Amino acid sequence: MTRFIYSDSGDTAQSRLKTRNAMGEDVYEVLLSQIISLKIAPQERISVDSLARELGVSQTPIRAALIRLEAEGLVVKKHNVGYSAAPTLSARDFEEIYEMRMLLEPAAAEIATRNMNDTVAQRLQQAHDRMCELESEQTKRSYSKFARFDAEFHAIIAEASGNSLIVDTLGRLLTHTHLFRSRRHSAVTREAVSEHSTLLNAMLRGDAAGAKWAMAEHINHSRERIVPFTEAGL
Ligand SMILES: [Zn+2]
C-alpha cells in the first residue's frame, strides 16, 4: 500500500502529499497536525478546494477528514459558509477540563499502577521515549507530534485503569489537542517530559500512591503552564 510522504521543511513550506492515492487517514493526520500547530489558525476558514490542490489529492479524503475532525470538535461546519477551524477554548473551558482531569486522572494512575502488566509498561515507555526524542527537536511539527504522544500516554493510563467511563470521559475532553493549540513554548514539553518521567517511574515500580501523586502534580503544573496563555486571550 502506498504511504504518503509528508514533507514540511518549515512553517511557510507547502505541505504536500506526494501521491494521488490518497488515504483518508493520512489526509486526516496532515489536517490535524496543521490545526494543532496553528498553521490553520482558530476560526480560519478551511477550503476543501484549496486543500485538495495544496495536498494534491481529491476532495473525497479531505471531506472525510473534515467530518472526523468535526466530530472531534476541532472543526466546525456552518451552513452556507463551510468548514473552519474551531475557536480555541476560553479560560473557563480550560478550568472545567482541569477540574475533571484532577478528579479522574490521579485515580486512573493509581488503579493502572495496581493493574500494571508488561504490555502496558512497554506502551507507556514507548510513548515516553518518543516524547523525549521529540523534545529535542523543537519545531512546530515535532510539537504537534508531541501532543499526540502525550495524549496517547494519558490514554494508555486511562485504559489501564480498566474503567471504560474514565476512558470515555477523558477522551471527550480532547485535552491535549486543545492545550497544544494554545501553547507554543519549548519549556512546556521539557517540563512535561520530566513530570511524565516521575509518573512513569512510580508506575513501573508499583508505587500506586506515588503514581497518584505524580499525576496530580503533572496536572497541576500543566494547569499553571496554561494560565498565562488563557489570560492573554490566546
Ligand atoms: Zn502529560
Side-chain angles (χ1 to χ4, degrees), residues 103 105 117 133 215 225 229:
L103 287 170
E105 291 204 64
N117 60 46
E133 287 162 24
M215 180 63 97
R225 286 191 288 266
F229 293 89

Side-chain angles (χ1 to χ4, degrees), residues 90-164:
S90 68
R92 178 67 200 144
D93 293 331
F94 275 110
E95 267 313 299
E96 290 189 2
I97 286 178
Y98 275 97
E99 277 172 18
M100 190 58 106
R101 292 188 71 188
M102 236 5 204
L103 287 170
L104 297 178
E105 291 204 64
E110 185 182 22
I111 305 164
T113 304
R114 289 201 213 103
N115 295 345
M116 185 56 65
N117 60 46
D118 287 351
T119 313
V120 172
Q122 217 168 43
R123 289 179 67 204
L124 283 173
Q125 188 70 59
Q126 268 167 10
H128 180 60
D129 289 348
R130 290 293 290 129
M131 281 185 274
C132 291
E133 287 162 24
L134 289 167
E135 199 268 306
S136 54
E137 286 182 29
Q138 303 290 357
T139 64
K140 271 196 188 173
R141 181 142 172 80
S142 71
Y143 196 66
S144 69
K145 276 194 203 160
F146 188 97
R148 309 288 304 284
F149 283 110
D150 196 7
E152 191 184 317
F153 184 79
H154 287 264
I156 296 166
I157 294 172
E159 276 169 37
S161 77
N163 185 323
S164 60

Side-chain angles (χ1 to χ4, degrees), residues 55-110:
L55 300 178
V57 299
S58 76
Q59 294 196 356
T60 312
I62 308 262
R63 290 190 187 282
L66 286 170
I67 288 167
R68 190 168 157 195
L69 289 163
E70 187 189 8
E72 292 173 350
L74 283 168
V75 152
V76 288
K77 190 185 183 187
K78 286 198 193 113
H79 192 58
N80 288 336
V81 179
Y83 290 100
S84 54
T88 45
L89 300 187
S90 68
R92 178 67 200 144
D93 293 331
F94 275 110
E95 267 313 299
E96 290 189 2
I97 286 178
Y98 275 97
E99 277 172 18
M100 190 58 106
R101 292 188 71 188
M102 236 5 204
L103 287 170
L104 297 178
E105 291 204 64
E110 185 182 22

Side-chain angles (χ1 to χ4, degrees), residues 143 146 180 183 185-193 225 229:
Y143 196 66
F146 188 97
F180 282 81
R183 313 176 302 195
H185 198 278
S186 61
V188 166
T189 52
R190 196 163 50 243
E191 288 168 15
V193 160
R225 286 191 288 266
F229 293 89

